[in-house]
Amino acid sequence: MIQTLKNAWKVPELRNKILFTVLALLVFRLGSAVPAPFVNTDQLGAYLESMSGTIFGLLGTMNGTAFSMAAVFALGVQPYINSSIIIELLTVAIPALERLAKEGGEEGRKKIAAITRYTTVAIALLQGFGYYTIMRTNQLLDVGDVNGVWAGIVIVMTFVAGSAFVMWLGEQITEKGIGNGISMILFAGILSRMPSLIQTLYRGVYNSLHPLPEGTEIEGYFSLPIWGLIAIIVGMVAMIMFVVYIQNAERRIPVQYAKRVVGRKMYGGQSSHIPLKVNMSGVLPVIFAQSIASLPATICAFAGIQAAQPGQTDAGFWANFLRVFDANGLVYTVVYFLLILAFSYFYSTMQFDPTEVANNLKKNGGFVPGFRPGKPTADFIRRVLSKITFFGAMFLSVIAIVPIISGNIIGQSSISLGGTSVIIVVGVALETSKALEAQLMMRHYKGFLE
């Protein structure tokens, strides 16, 4: 990827696109460092850290440090991602939207994009109001002499405006930058947590080299030996290499097109293939699974229920349930694993229709060698899809639970780089590299092929 960036920098047009993308990301990071008014950011950060096992942990991962300090861009691209997923699922469920997407052409795509934008604003309004409600309920606001209703309106509108601006900024990066604007912003938000991770590692190693006097105890004290640091670095590198390998893996189904005569010309006769990616569903199953798995803890947090302490017998059902269903515990890990498997199959079924692919091949005179056109071809593609979906789901599950296991072994979950973050960061890096390579190839840059 570094070589690709060097080659792209030599092309004036691509250099301008890279500079525009960097400038846009700097604007995003600037807005992520400006807190919303009337918010006590110190108390909010401590509260969200204690709620890492709830849905707030996922939002913090996706939106970076901006969420923990209630910045102007605290919601980030999360409302846009949610609205895109909702519209995509509704396109399959509602015939009118399906016709608009398939038969509407450029005008249909513009209408769906407009619907997605309006849905983004609506979701941002709901999320902003929910975020404000949490802060007000837990007395994390500092309104002073300002009317509480007016302060709430200002905070919610700040979040909504910030989310709308981030959505517009992502579209500008896609149009005038190097592409994948929303993904690039998500990439920047996740990487913003890296300094905190490095600081935690440094503090752990420093504490290991300078231990406390015997009998001294400090709350939150963390010690990481040198071998632990080396193991973490090796593990992260191995995880990234594994993600890169699987992200590029695909199963190619061979397709042969029959020869046909149209007028005085002969068409067809060439060979091709249908590429099926091993990780077809991307990171969405992990996001869905983490949202569902953290739902009980989130509901209990809204209800003010705390997890029971070990040995406590009169804590009640939900308090005991929270202790058993801890985000770093065995029960949560198993449920998380199974949910990722289920959502992987669900999303691959929604995204890829073997019957439609088989019918399109039949209409164009194509066939899979060894299988008759129509239903036999669709059944074969369905079997292949089921097998690679299983491997893709296992890949996502392993990547998602390895940080939980490593955090329990080391004793500090905050130093583990989450599976969701790794898949997103690596995926965006690969997509950006491929986009630059495609633009270089369009400009016949010879150095690209060397």
Side-chain angles (χ1 to χ4, degrees):
M1 183 177 179
I2 296 177
Q3 186 61 37
T4 302
L5 288 174
K6 289 182 179 180
N7 294 336
W9 188 260
K10 298 177 183 178
V11 181
E13 186 177 354
L14 291 183
R15 182 166 61 246
N16 293 335
K17 288 188 175 184
I18 294 174
L19 291 175
F20 180 85
T21 302
V22 172
L23 180 62
L25 293 179
L26 287 176
V27 172
F28 168 71
R29 289 306 307 152
L30 179 63
S32 299
V34 178
F38 310 119
V39 178
N40 191 323
T41 55
D42 294 333
Q43 294 183 6
L44 176 64
Y47 173 77
L48 292 178
E49 186 177 356
S50 66
M51 303 291 289
S52 59
T54 65
I55 193 67
F56 299 121
L58 175 61
L59 293 175
T61 300
M62 301 288 286
N63 300 328
T65 56
F67 184 76
S68 61
M69 61 183 298
V72 176
F73 296 160
L75 300 182
V77 295
Q78 193 70 25
Y80 182 83
I81 293 175
N82 293 336
S83 66
S84 299
I85 295 172
I86 291 172
I87 298 302
E88 184 178 355
L89 295 177
L90 290 179
T91 301
V92 179
I94 301 177
L97 284 177
E98 187 176 5
R99 288 193 301 269
L100 191 64
K102 293 184 178 180
E103 303 172 7
E106 183 64 25
E107 190 66 24
R109 285 190 290 271
K110 288 182 179 180
K111 290 182 178 179
I112 291 180
I115 294 173
T116 304
R117 294 191 189 101
Y118 291 132
T119 309
T120 299
V121 174
I123 293 177
L125 186 61
L126 290 175
Q127 290 186 351
F129 180 74
Y131 197 12
Y132 160 73
T133 303
I134 288 291
M135 291 187 290
R136 184 191 63 187
T137 304
N138 292 276
Q139 300 178 353
L140 303 174
L141 300 178
D142 187 10
V143 298
D145 298 330
V146 180
N147 184 278
V149 176
W150 172 249
I153 293 175
V154 171
I155 293 174
V156 174
M157 288 298 102
T158 299
F159 291 151
V160 174
S163 181
F165 182 81
V166 169
M167 176 182 63
W168 175 82
L169 194 63
E171 293 177 350
Q172 296 303 307
I173 295 176
T174 302
E175 181 181 351
K176 301 178 182 179
I178 59 179
N180 302 321
I182 299 299
S183 298
M184 292 295 295
I185 291 177
L186 190 60
F187 178 87
I190 292 174
L191 286 187
S192 67
R193 301 174 64 91
M194 289 300 295
S196 175
L197 173 64
I198 295 174
Q199 182 181 7
T200 304
L201 290 173
Y202 172 79
R203 187 173 67 250
V205 174
Y206 180 85
N207 291 339
S208 176
L209 297 177
H210 303 82
L212 293 174
E214 188 175 352
T216 305
E217 294 184 3
I218 299 178
E219 184 179 357
Y221 184 80
F222 167 59
S223 177
L224 178 67
I226 297 295
W227 65 265
L229 176 64
I230 296 175
I232 290 173
I233 295 175
V234 172
M236 287 183 177
V237 172
M239 182 184 293
I240 293 174
M241 293 176 62
F242 181 52
V243 171
V244 171
Y245 177 77
I246 297 296
Q247 288 288 83
N248 290 326
E250 63 183 17
R251 167 73 158 86
R252 297 181 177 181
I253 300 177
V255 176
Q256 184 72 33
Y257 288 91
K259 294 181 179 180
R260 53 179 178 160
V261 178
V262 180
R264 295 183 179 182
K265 294 184 179 180
M266 180 176 293
Y267 295 90
Q270 73 271 22
S271 299
S272 183
H273 64 270
I274 302 174
L276 299 178
K277 293 184 69 65
V278 173
N279 184 25
M280 184 179 300
S281 53
V283 75
L284 289 179
V286 180
I287 296 176
F288 289 158
Q290 190 170 355
S291 301
I292 299 299
S294 60
L295 191 59
T298 304
I299 295 175
C300 291
F302 277 101
I305 301 174
Q306 300 291 333
Q309 299 298 323
Q312 188 177 358
T313 58
D314 57 345
F317 172 78
W318 286 110
N320 289 321
F321 174 81
L322 278 181
R323 182 172 63 86
V324 175
F325 206 74
D326 182 71
N328 296 315
L330 178 61
V331 177
Y332 177 90
T333 304
V334 173
V335 172
Y336 190 25
F337 183 89
L338 295 177
L339 284 174
I340 292 175
L341 292 178
F343 279 118
S344 295
Y345 276 97
F346 169 78
Y347 197 77
S348 64
T349 303
M350 297 290 295
Q351 193 177 31
F352 191 88
D353 187 1
T355 303
E356 183 180 356
V357 173
N359 291 337
N360 290 336
L361 287 177
K362 186 177 181 180
K363 291 178 182 178
N364 293 299
F367 63 92
V368 177
F371 297 91
R372 294 176 61 85
K375 188 176 183 303
T377 299
D379 292 339
F380 169 71
I381 296 176
R382 190 173 289 106
R383 288 195 301 269
V384 174
L385 179 63
S386 178
K387 292 178 181 178
I388 66 172
T389 300
F390 175 76
F391 284 106
M394 291 298 296
F395 153 73
L396 289 176
S397 301
V398 170
I399 292 298
I401 67 174
V402 161
I404 299 177
I405 297 174
S406 62
N408 287 329
I409 293 175
I410 298 173
Q412 182 75 5
S413 59
S414 62
I415 63 174
S416 60
L417 189 60
T420 308
S421 304
V422 173
I423 296 173
I424 293 175
V425 169
V426 173
V428 173
L430 292 176
E431 289 178 6
T432 304
S433 178
K434 290 178 181 178
L436 287 175
E437 289 175 357
Q439 295 187 48
L440 284 170
M441 184 176 293
M442 289 174 57
R443 291 163 177 77
H444 305 286
Y445 186 75
K446 296 182 180 179
F448 161 67
L449 299 175
E450 295 177 355

